[in-house]
Amino acid sequence: MGCEYSKLTTCCGDSDLDGVIGEAQKVEKEEKSEVGDVPAFREYTVEQLRKATSGFAAENIVSEHGEKAPNVVYKGKLDNQRRIAVKRFNRSAWPDSRQFLEEARSVGQLRNPRLANLLGCCHEGDERLLVAEFMPNETLAKHLFHWETQPMKWAMRLRVALYLAQALDYCTSKGRALYHDLNAYRVVFDEDGNPRLSCFGLMKNSRDGKSYSTNLAFTPPEYLRTGRVTPESVIYSFGTLLLDLLSGKHIPPSHALDLIRDRNIQMLTDSCLEGQFSIDEGTELVRLASRCLQYEPRERPNPKSVVTALVPLQTETEVPSHQIMGLPQVATAFPLSPLGEACLRMDLTAIHEILESLAYKDDEGAATELSFQMWTNQVQETLNSKKKGDAAFRHKDYKAAIECYTQFIEVGTMVSPTVFARRSLSHLSSEMPEEALNDAVQAQVISPVWHIASYLQAASLFALGRENEAQIALKEGSVLEEKRNRTS
């Protein structure tokens, strides 16, 4: 930003400069208004992103391929509480930092509600990182191939197809028609359950890297011949995604086209969709997939005509995405404090930091009670157990913390909601969610209006997979915290 400012002052007077800055702010405001509160592209330092991801901690990895992938994606949170996804390239991917910055800046100019937009990048030393909006509701691959509670409904599959086509059409209109390795892992769902196209695919995995990493059976035929991605190659990949949406499986295009030629569409469609769509609707989607998968690139449709074909197929257009998907819409239902957010995300590191900074200031009256009992050896031992537990908790030695806090609790000379809260988090961090829930409930028994007890119950219930109960506990914690803040 400093360089840009000095360039402007060299060619403009102060009054002219005010006008230029005013116009720039106006443009930025218009861009923001198009996509909510998405800020303009900026550069980050490695230290900022290290802090945001808790030191690129393994528990913050969200990419399906995990730590061994060439380019790992982490979830994180900036100082302003904005949640982000950080893609960290391997060190040899982009040797020329200037080329990386130019490419990232170009992608970073795009702003659209159908994209998980690129917020910035970092190119310090050997580090090459991209920063994007964080999408909290998993990938299309997860919802389509590895679903746990319910298969994706037909109306949602049609919406995914349309929103992706609209994303590609927007990118094409802005001169970014090339998308590398479009597949079900590149489609992510935002807090409202709406599908978005990840901006990461608008950049190659490296300066000279291959644009397709998937099985050759799913690769556009011309890419196998030339090794180059074209706009028509992207449409071919979109066709494979349509097959994914139809079948609920990752079927090779050649096999799918054989089934279509034999008019065996029933074998192609997901059995979970029975009764959800008409034969005409299914036939139209199959026809569109076939057009996208044509062997000759020039015979495939462009993104705009794909959008035109998909709009009339949409159903349940008035129903919000999160409702069709069966997802809770916590973010817009009520505001969450940093602790509430941490419990929603199951960010145990952030919960630990908050409990550690809070110390025992919410244990009203406990110190007075102890002062009258200090003369017994038993109480002295109890206090020592608590001190040892606090030291272990501070250093995240959760096993030792559980043992020491248990000794303190079992003696029973005093009650402390904070000790139960700390032991609850220690149980959560030790993968003992049932015990964690019991402790959080006990903390609330001692202190019924203590918001932290409700929040820890929510985190424990999320860990147990009891989603609806967790949402209720989360809301309860939020209400209690708001009341507390109003009266304090």
Side-chain angles (χ1 to χ4, degrees):
M1 187 66 188
C3 293
E4 297 296 329
Y5 186 89
S6 59
K7 281 181 197 170
L8 282 167
T9 50
T10 312
C11 60
C12 312
D14 284 344
S15 58
D16 292 337
L17 181 60
D18 289 340
V20 171
I21 291 174
E23 188 60 33
Q25 287 171 341
K26 182 182 169 189
V27 170
E28 185 180 332
K29 190 175 178 183
E30 285 171 359
E31 284 179 351
K32 283 185 183 180
S33 65
E34 186 187 353
V35 201
D37 65 341
V38 183
F41 180 90
R42 56 165 288 193
E43 292 178 46
Y44 293 88
T45 65
V46 171
E47 192 48 45
Q48 282 174 309
L49 300 183
R50 185 174 283 116
K51 184 181 175 187
T53 57
S54 304
F56 299 107
E59 58 262 35
N60 283 332
I61 293 175
V62 291
S63 47
E64 270 80 0
H65 305 297
E67 234 171 330
K68 293 181 181 177
N71 309 307
V72 182
V73 180
Y74 299 84
K75 63 180 177 180
K77 198 172 190 183
L78 298 170
D79 287 340
N80 64 2
Q81 303 303 306
R82 181 178 288 278
R83 295 162 73 185
I84 55 171
V86 181
K87 181 172 182 176
R88 193 182 197 185
F89 290 89
N90 70 40
R91 293 180 181 273
S92 59
W94 292 89
D96 186 339
S97 65
R98 198 169 40 183
Q99 189 180 28
F100 173 77
L101 177 61
E102 282 173 11
E103 184 79 358
R105 270 192 187 283
S106 178
V107 175
Q109 301 313 304
L110 303 177
R111 286 289 178 270
N112 192 271
R114 299 290 180 255
L115 291 173
N117 294 283
L118 190 66
L119 303 178
C121 73
C122 172
H123 56 100
E124 265 180 49
D126 291 336
E127 289 284 8
R128 304 288 181 266
L129 303 114
L130 296 177
V131 181
E133 292 179 282
F134 178 68
M135 300 289 116
N137 281 314
E138 306 282 1
T139 64
L140 178 61
K142 170 80 173 175
H143 290 294
L144 210 50
F145 310 139
H146 313 295
W147 54 272
E148 291 166 9
T149 53
Q150 65 174 44
M152 186 177 283
K153 293 177 181 174
W154 176 248
M156 196 64 214
R157 298 187 196 208
L158 290 173
R159 190 172 297 182
V160 169
L162 175 62
Y163 282 22
L164 289 188
Q166 288 173 336
L168 294 174
D169 185 36
Y170 167 78
C171 293
T172 301
S173 74
K174 297 292 184 181
R176 300 289 312 191
L178 301 187
Y179 194 95
H180 304 276
D181 204 12
L182 177 62
N183 59 56
Y185 291 97
R186 298 284 202 187
V187 183
V188 286
F189 290 82
D190 65 21
E191 64 275 8
D192 296 321
N194 288 319
R196 305 239 209 144
L197 183 60
S198 169
C199 62
F200 293 149
L202 291 162
M203 282 183 69
K204 289 187 291 188
N205 279 336
S206 65
R207 184 187 63 178
D208 307 310
K210 291 180 179 177
S211 293
Y212 283 87
S213 58
T214 49
N215 188 308
L216 293 180
F218 299 90
T219 305
E222 67 276 9
Y223 180 78
L224 295 174
R225 295 195 301 269
T226 66
R228 287 177 61 244
V229 179
T230 65
E232 293 77 18
S233 312
V234 180
I235 293 297
Y236 184 93
S237 296
F238 182 80
T240 67
L241 264 178
L242 288 180
L243 293 179
D244 292 347
L245 291 165
L246 267 165
S247 64
K249 297 184 283 290
H250 203 34
I251 298 178
S254 58
H255 177 53
L257 289 170
D258 286 343
L259 290 173
I260 292 166
R261 281 189 210 98
D262 296 340
R263 300 185 182 281
N264 200 348
I265 294 173
Q266 195 176 355
M267 285 288 289
L268 184 61
T269 53
D270 193 337
S271 58
C272 296
L273 296 172
E274 196 171 335
Q276 290 188 33
F277 63 95
S278 68
I279 292 172
D280 287 348
E281 288 172 341
T283 303
E284 278 303 310
L285 204 61
V286 166
R287 186 178 292 139
L288 181 59
S290 302
R291 287 173 60 206
C292 293
L293 293 167
Q294 289 298 307
Y295 185 83
E296 290 297 334
R298 66 176 179 274
E299 293 177 10
R300 298 171 200 155
N302 61 31
K304 197 168 287 302
S305 60
V306 172
V307 170
T308 303
L310 285 166
V311 167
L313 296 178
Q314 299 304 303
T315 63
E316 299 187 40
T317 52
E318 300 303 311
V319 184
S321 294
H322 73 92
Q323 204 170 311
I324 301 176
M325 295 275 284
L327 296 169
Q329 200 189 21
V330 176
T332 56
F334 53 93
L336 285 174
S337 67
L339 179 57
E341 279 273 1
C343 292
L344 175 63
R345 297 195 320 271
M346 289 298 293
D347 186 342
L348 302 185
T349 303
I351 298 171
H352 176 271
E353 286 173 7
I354 292 166
L355 288 186
E356 181 64 25
S357 64
L358 182 68
Y360 284 81
K361 67 182 181 187
D362 285 347
D363 281 16
E364 292 174 5
T368 312
E369 185 183 345
L370 275 171
S371 64
F372 287 109
Q373 300 174 1
M374 286 294 288
W375 55 275
T376 66
N377 289 334
Q378 187 183 33
V379 170
Q380 192 57 56
E381 284 174 24
T382 306
L383 277 175
N384 286 338
S385 298
K386 178 180 159 298
K387 282 180 183 174
K388 286 177 185 174
D390 290 343
F393 183 83
R394 188 180 310 116
H395 294 106
K396 299 183 182 178
D397 183 355
Y398 294 118
K399 187 180 176 186
I402 291 169
E403 287 176 11
C404 296
Y405 286 144
T406 301
Q407 287 171 15
F408 172 79
I409 289 165
E410 286 178 350
V411 170
T413 53
M414 68 164 284
V415 288
S416 163
T418 299
V419 166
F420 277 104
R422 288 180 167 216
R423 194 173 71 166
S424 175
L425 180 62
S426 300
H427 278 133
L428 259 184
S429 301
S430 305
E431 297 184 347
M432 300 164 74
E434 199 73 60
E435 291 82 352
L437 180 59
N438 291 339
D439 277 346
V441 168
Q442 192 57 43
Q444 195 156 44
V445 168
I446 299 165
S447 187
V449 295
W450 198 35
H451 60 288
I452 287 172
S454 294
Y455 280 141
L456 286 170
Q457 285 174 53
S460 305
L461 289 162
F462 279 128
L464 288 163
R466 290 155 63 179
E467 182 82 18
N468 290 339
E469 292 168 79
Q471 297 295 342
I472 292 166
L474 198 65
K475 185 159 190 175
E476 184 183 84
S478 180
V479 170
L480 289 172
E481 187 172 17
E482 190 181 348
K483 280 183 185 172
R484 181 192 179 98
N485 292 340
R486 278 204 309 264
T487 55
S488 61

